[in-house]
Structures are given as C-alpha cells and as structure tokens.
Amino acid sequence: MSGKVVVLLGPPGVGKGTQGVRLSRDRSWAHVSTGDLLRAARKAGTELGRRARAYMDRGRLVPDDVIVGLVREHLRTLPAEQGVVFDGFPRTVVQAEALEAVLTDAGRQVDRVVLLDADAELLVKRIAGRRSSPNGRVYNVYFDPPKAEGVCDETGEPLVHRPDDLPATVRARLDVYHEVTAPLVGFYEGRGVLTRVNGEGEMTEIQQAIAGAVGLSQAVAGSPVLA
Ligand code: AP5
C-alpha cells in the first residue's frame, strides 16, 4: 500500500518546516523540503547549489525545471509505502502539475494539502527571530529560544541567520508568495483536498490540527482548523 502524500502550503515563516518535522518525525515519513535540499546543495558547492544561490539570495524562486528535476530524483530514493510531507513544494502551478504527473506514474496522489496562514507582521517577526543550527534544528529567539543564547542545545554549535532572512529579501519572498504561490490555493481547492489551518497558534496546537486534517487522529476541541 502507498503511503500518504501531504503538502504543507503557506507563506515564508508560517511554520511549514517546523510542522513538517513534527508530522514526519513520529511516523517515519519522509520530510521533503525543497528549501533544505537547495541549502544542502549550496553547502556542498554543487552546480545546482551555485545556480540556486543567485535566486535564493534575492528571494526569487529557483526555476521550475530545476526544482522538478530535484524532487523527481529525490522521490526515486523513497519507498512507495513511505508517507511523504512536502514543505515548500510545489510553489507554482507548473510544479503542482509536475508533482501530479510524477505521483500518478507511481500510483499515488496528493492526499491532503494543509494551508497554513498567519498575519504578515507575525511572519516577519518569526523570520527575524529564526536561528538555525548546522544540524538542521531551528530555533526562534522570541518563541523557541535555545537554552544558551546563540548555541544549539543538541550540538553546542553556533546558531546562524539564514542569508535570505534579511528584511529586504523577506519582503521579496512574501511578494513572490502572493503573486506566484497563492494561486495554488484555488488549484487544490478545485481538487477537493485543501484544509486551512490557522498558523498563528501554539506549535503543538497547530501540530494537532494538522494531524486531524490529514486523518491521523482527531483534531482536538478548539483546534485551529478553519475549513
Ligand atoms: P524555503 O526554505 O522553503 O523557505 P520559505 O518557504 O520562505 O519558508 P521558511 O523556511 O522561511 O518558513 P517556514 O514556513 O518553513 O517556517 P519555519 O518552520 O522555519 O525556501 C527558501 C528559498 O529556496 C526560496 O525563497 C526559493 O528561492 C528557494 N525554493 C525553495 N523551494 C522552492 C521551490 N519549490 N521552487 C522554487 N524555489 C524554491 O518557522 C519560522 C520561524 O518561526 C522559526 O524560527 C520557528 O521556530 C518559528 N515558529 C514556527 N511555528 C511557530 C509557532 N506556531 N509559534 C511561534 N513560532 C513559530
């Protein structure tokens, strides 16, 4: 039997990565973050990483053909029975159609798309406060601080700011989201698989709402599922 395929959709800083880790972790699902794959390619100094850098540092999207090729290759490495959570992909209608084609070939489909949303001011504050460990663990100086300032709890390494988290780049990323990615809301509504979850709540509360939306457990009373 094929595992579930879930897409986390939403603007920069809304918590896709945070919730993608939580949803995948306890179930041994694959968490496929195109942002993380691109950052790993940059760190490794590959041709893909060099090509992606110019787009990422300006807050622009990396071209569809590059992203679709990257995801297609990555999916080949995953067993068909493993659940998958996509975070930051698809981000354009072209990418969504390509994902459908790849999944159809594999006898799979997008089972649920969870749209997380939050007020723009809160998104900017979350991004301003985000600090990342080289091991991938993400903190927030306002909402989820490490035990010792500036240092990863798990590895003791210094925490860093993402290069694309500068204020001007964040504004560009938000504009790109509204222009190019937001149309996916209508795309997935048309397919009857979209659930909206309020991304402004507490992390665990949102996690429960997403689990409920995906059909993994009942959403708790008063949880932030909107439709
Ligand atoms: P990507 O890495 O995907 O960035 P993004 O979509 O802009 O999203 P973020 O990672 O900024 O935010 P998030 O929603 O994951 O929030 P997080 O959980 O970290 O993409 C980066 C770039 O790569 C793109 O600009 C583009 O250039 C390129 N790219 C990637 N995918 C692409 C694609 N498919 N096509 C083309 N180009 C692509 O949370 C943010 C902070 O808030 C954290 O500090 C966290 O601790 C905190 N937080 C989270 N939830 C809560 C909560 N409930 N309460 C309080 N704090 C919270």
Side-chain angles (χ1 to χ4, degrees):
M1 207 181 82
S2 301
K4 279 194 192 261
V5 176
V6 176
V7 171
L8 298 181
L9 184 64
V14 77
K16 303 180 299 295
T18 302
Q19 296 300 334
V21 167
R22 288 171 178 234
L23 183 59
S24 58
R25 188 182 49 200
D26 300 335
R27 301 171 180 88
S28 301
W29 286 8
H31 173 209
V32 179
S33 158
T34 40
D36 286 349
L37 290 174
L38 293 169
R39 281 183 285 278
R42 285 177 62 156
K43 202 169 168 187
T46 65
E47 176 54 31
L48 166 68
R50 274 192 291 278
R51 208 175 150 199
R53 161 168 280 166
Y55 296 97
M56 295 173 83
D57 287 353
R58 283 185 293 130
R60 312 302 303 178
L61 292 187
V62 175
D64 286 332
D65 60 326
V66 176
I67 294 292
V68 169
L70 181 69
V71 171
R72 192 179 281 127
E73 283 310 307
H74 192 74
L75 286 181
R76 281 207 185 108
T77 67
L78 303 177
E81 63 278 10
Q82 188 176 23
V84 183
V85 187
F86 286 104
D87 146 18
F89 176 88
R91 247 175 158 99
T92 65
V93 172
V94 169
Q95 292 180 17
E97 287 171 345
L99 176 62
E100 273 186 350
V102 170
L103 291 175
T104 301
D105 285 350
R108 303 179 79 174
Q109 62 189 25
V110 171
D111 295 292
R112 186 58 40 192
V113 176
V114 178
L115 172 65
L116 292 168
D117 210 353
D119 181 74
E121 224 172 279
L122 180 61
L123 298 175
V124 169
K125 183 167 183 184
R126 281 191 188 167
I127 291 174
R130 174 166 48 198
R131 300 290 183 275
S132 307
S133 168
N135 77 347
R137 169 87 158 80
V138 174
Y139 298 85
N140 195 287
V141 297
Y142 305 116
F143 304 112
D144 184 20
K147 291 191 183 85
E149 194 183 327
V151 178
C152 178
D153 295 347
E154 292 163 10
T155 65
E157 291 173 277
L159 301 178
V160 294
H161 242 318
R162 264 171 49 177
D164 60 343
D165 279 353
L166 294 171
T169 317
V170 171
R171 280 195 294 278
R173 285 163 55 201
L174 285 167
D175 288 346
V176 167
Y177 173 77
H178 290 295
E179 284 163 26
V180 187
T181 306
L184 286 180
V185 173
F187 179 93
Y188 283 120
E189 263 173 346
R191 278 154 175 75
V193 293
L194 190 95
T195 303
R196 295 165 194 267
V197 169
N198 185 349
E200 294 192 357
E202 199 270 319
M203 290 181 200
T204 305
E205 198 186 24
I206 295 170
Q207 180 183 351
Q208 287 169 333
I210 293 174
V214 172
L216 295 167
S217 63
Q218 291 304 308
V220 289
S223 72
V225 177
L226 299 178

